[in-house]
Amino acid sequence: MKHLNYLFRHNRRKFLKDISLAFGATALGMPLVSMATGPAAGAAEKEQQAGQWGTRKRKLGIALVGLGNYATNQLAPALQETEKCYLAGIVTGTPSKAAAWKRKYNIPDQNIYNYETYDQIADNPDIDIIYVVLPNAMHAEYTVRGAQAGKHMISEKPMATSVADCQRMIEACNKSNVKLSIGYRLHFEPHNLRVMELGQQQVYGPVQRIEAADSFVMSGNPDRWRLDKKLAGGGPLMDLGIYCVQGAIYTMGQTPTAVTAKFGEVTRPDFFDEVEQSIDWQMEFPNGAVADCTTSYNKDQNLLYGKADKGWWRLQPAYSYSGIQGETSAGPMNLSNVNQQARQMDAFAECILENKTTRVPGEMGLRDVRILEAIYEAARTGKRVEIKV
């Protein structure tokens, strides 16, 4: 519970205030589920109790832990389109969210948890998979506890804020004999899959150079968890730059051997008093290719570019939830956009149902966090840092 204890001590974040409200409710003897009412929810309860889930029961049930923007606007809608899994439960520290989600998605009372009752999920046969969508520093704790409850786990990226926590997550899942996957949705997106083919199969010859950039302008209230170093682990590198790291690696099909990096100037200290505003870095690969990467919370960029001996390719935007576009030196890619999150979650459900290995395992998340740590070290020291993975 160390992260929740930290949250109570730092209640200036809205996220943390929500959790505090939830604990207050339970302390007053008012369980979250008692706040959710409505005929649709009651019908869903009766249907479940009667064992009449129909074809949906043949899908695997997913519980989302943390009902922030990504879970609300991406994962939950995607779970309405999935074929092998469905939204079975939620874990939230906000009573009003519990009530709203129950009504909207007909979630039975017994499938609604808060952060105090989370471990009771072990006794729920409706839930097969837990997807942790909490602030980065909380991924490890809730993945470990979910694995100990006997559930298969998905951790949103970055996997954790330290290599040690990544290793702890992997060990917990191995010990409980459950599968662990990381929320790397772009491994299921057609344009990025095409980049993997072009680079790894050397369609235009060996890759010489990669450019990757992912940035947006952080606005609004600076009082948010993504700007809190203890919760986020860092700034845009942890949030957006990890897509650049991923993009370069799956273009090459290789792990970088060394990195150099430099923090950008802080022009908005009211926002960036704890985490970096921007950072540029260069990764070196075993074949001599280099990847020049940049990420920022103060500009708009979204690019993955590769140049080989006999051609080039570009995705722009490259990492968005939709609207990805690609072209090569031979012409447009002409590929469809898909629901990336639905494909990602269906693929993991298939791995469980057919006992296959996920293409985005915990070991991949561990590798990437090790690289992120090397980038930060290079930026702090000004030295070239070798990456040992």
Side-chain angles (χ1 to χ4, degrees):
M1 299 291 290
K2 63 181 181 179
H3 293 306
L4 290 182
N5 291 335
Y6 167 79
L7 297 183
F8 282 120
R9 296 196 302 269
H10 293 73
N11 60 8
R12 65 191 179 90
R13 307 293 179 186
K14 182 179 183 302
F15 173 85
L16 315 183
K17 292 176 183 176
D18 291 343
I19 292 180
S20 297
L21 288 172
F23 280 101
T26 55
L28 293 170
M30 183 172 59
L32 291 184
V33 292
S34 70
M35 301 185 66
T37 58
E45 276 185 54
K46 293 177 182 177
E47 182 184 32
Q48 193 276 342
Q49 291 168 357
Q52 297 174 352
W53 286 93
T55 57
R56 187 169 71 171
K57 184 56 185 174
R58 291 197 289 270
K59 300 180 179 182
L60 297 185
I62 291 185
L64 299 178
V65 183
L67 306 184
N69 178 67
Y70 190 61
T72 300
N73 297 317
Q74 301 300 326
L75 296 179
L79 282 164
Q80 311 314 302
E81 300 183 25
T82 45
E83 299 178 355
K84 299 180 180 180
C85 53
Y86 70 99
L87 178 60
I90 54 175
V91 182
T92 179
T94 308
S96 59
K97 288 184 179 180
W101 281 60
K102 176 181 176 175
R103 288 192 300 269
K104 184 172 183 177
Y105 295 110
N106 293 334
I107 300 173
D109 280 348
Q110 62 267 29
N111 292 3
I112 300 175
Y113 299 85
N114 59 42
Y115 297 107
E116 285 186 330
T117 62
Y118 175 62
D119 299 307
Q120 297 174 19
I121 209 166
D123 303 319
N124 193 329
D126 290 342
I127 295 171
D128 305 286
I129 301 168
I130 295 174
Y131 197 147
V132 178
V133 207
L134 293 165
N136 303 339
M138 301 174 74
H139 291 177
E141 178 183 346
Y142 283 86
T143 297
V144 169
R145 289 168 63 186
Q148 291 171 343
K151 306 303 180 180
H152 300 285
M153 300 301 304
I154 305 175
S155 172
E156 188 46 42
K157 62 80 194 166
M159 183 176 177
T161 55
S162 72
V163 166
D165 274 349
C166 293
Q167 292 170 331
R168 191 158 60 92
M169 295 160 73
I170 292 171
E171 289 168 2
C173 290
N174 288 340
K175 184 175 181 180
S176 296
N177 196 30
V178 297
K179 295 184 183 296
L180 171 61
S181 181
I182 310 303
Y184 287 141
R185 56 188 168 80
L186 295 175
H187 284 257
F188 308 90
E189 194 283 316
H191 299 82
N192 283 271
L193 287 170
R194 180 57 177 158
V195 165
M196 297 177 201
E197 294 176 349
L198 293 172
Q200 295 180 32
Q201 297 180 16
Q202 299 188 9
V203 173
Y204 295 115
V207 179
Q208 300 172 337
R209 184 168 60 88
I210 296 168
E211 294 179 18
D214 196 8
S215 305
F216 72 85
V217 178
M218 180 75 75
S219 60
N221 188 350
D223 222 18
R224 62 186 73 189
W225 72 261
R226 293 187 189 279
L227 302 179
D228 184 325
K229 189 172 183 178
K230 287 188 177 179
L231 285 175
L237 179 62
M238 300 293 286
D239 184 19
L240 307 172
I242 191 170
Y243 287 119
C244 301
V245 169
Q246 272 267 310
I249 290 175
Y250 58 63
T251 297
M252 296 298 305
Q254 300 175 3
T255 299
T257 56
V259 63
T260 54
K262 183 179 181 181
F263 290 121
E265 180 185 2
V266 176
T267 60
R268 300 168 64 194
D270 54 327
F271 275 73
F272 306 108
D273 58 339
E274 295 187 24
V275 302
E276 75 275 5
Q277 178 174 309
S278 64
I279 186 170
D280 300 319
W281 71 101
Q282 184 180 82
M283 295 186 292
E284 304 169 16
F285 287 88
N287 71 340
V290 296
D292 291 304
C293 307
T294 184
T295 187
S296 172
Y297 274 156
N298 201 43
K299 61 175 67 174
D300 289 312
Q301 297 172 298
N302 203 313
L303 169 72
L304 179 58
Y305 170 84
K307 184 181 186 306
D309 286 346
K310 302 176 182 177
W312 56 266
W313 52 90
R314 179 188 293 109
L315 301 185
Q316 194 171 22
Y319 318 107
S320 303
Y321 299 145
S322 62
I324 293 177
Q325 297 182 0
E327 62 176 333
T328 74
S329 50
M333 288 188 179
N334 293 324
L335 297 171
S336 299
N337 275 264
V338 302
N339 190 314
Q340 303 162 20
Q341 291 84 358
R343 289 199 175 186
Q344 170 203 330
M345 290 185 285
D346 264 344
F348 188 52
E350 181 179 299
C351 287
I352 294 167
L353 292 167
E354 300 182 10
N355 194 26
K356 300 190 301 186
T357 300
T358 172
R359 71 180 71 167
V360 286
E363 289 77 9
M364 179 182 288
L366 167 62
R367 176 203 68 190
D368 293 347
V369 170
R370 198 184 302 275
I371 294 170
L372 295 180
E373 287 189 350
I375 295 170
Y376 278 128
E377 180 183 350
R380 285 193 304 267
T381 64
K383 298 179 180 179
R384 176 179 179 272
V385 175
E386 293 188 357
I387 300 170
K388 299 177 181 179
V389 293

